[in-house]
Amino acid sequence: NVEKAKVVPPTSTLDVPISDDTPLRPRRDIIAEELDIDGPFALAMLHLAEEEGAPVEPSEERDARFEASVREIAAGHRVEVFGELQYGVFVRGSVDAIEAWIGAAHQALNAPEGTRVIVGGALRGEDTSPDLLREDATAALEAAYREGEPILYS
């Protein structure tokens, strides 16, 4: 039985800092590309978090395992790096399918012992800008961190 994400309205516009030396395309441009494609989708943010106050230690092996797990669970969806130990997944489909995907991703990625992955996302709105969608998805990620369950902002 797969849990669904809790769907709530956004309440914050906090942002996750990105390192200045990250040689990646601007996330705003990536989100804008997705907004140019018709159809419903959500930007889901997945973050490998600290477990019970212990900081996540840098590890190439751990990073590679996390990336592989995210890419496996997100097969068929666009996956982009959004920060250190953080990925953005553009999940396309109906609201029910997106809710189910976010819940399933949370459940699957948190299955390995000692793993804590936070999953939050935001649905594309009618007049959503790249900045607003990212702010809402980041706020959902922060809410998911506080509540301990996947969150999808509508």
Side-chain angles (χ1 to χ4, degrees), residues 114-125:
T115 302
R116 182 164 179 237
V117 177
I118 309 302
V119 182
L123 291 168
R124 168 195 203 153

Side-chain angles (χ1 to χ4, degrees), residues 37-109:
I37 301 170
D38 288 335
F41 76 91
L43 171 54
M45 304 292 276
L46 294 81
H47 178 74
L48 183 60
E50 298 175 354
E51 185 63 41
E52 296 183 22
V56 175
E57 295 296 326
S59 160
E60 287 183 29
E61 181 181 320
R62 186 229 35 240
D63 296 354
R65 275 195 319 269
F66 180 53
E67 180 178 5
S69 296
V70 169
R71 291 191 184 282
E72 181 179 337
I73 195 82
H77 301 289
R78 183 176 184 175
V79 178
E80 295 287 345
V81 175
F82 268 68
E84 187 176 346
L85 301 176
Q86 184 169 306
Y87 289 87
V89 179
F90 295 90
V91 184
R92 294 194 172 272
S94 68
V95 173
D96 286 342
I98 292 168
E99 288 176 29
W101 186 91
I102 287 179
H106 179 263
Q107 192 171 5
L109 292 169

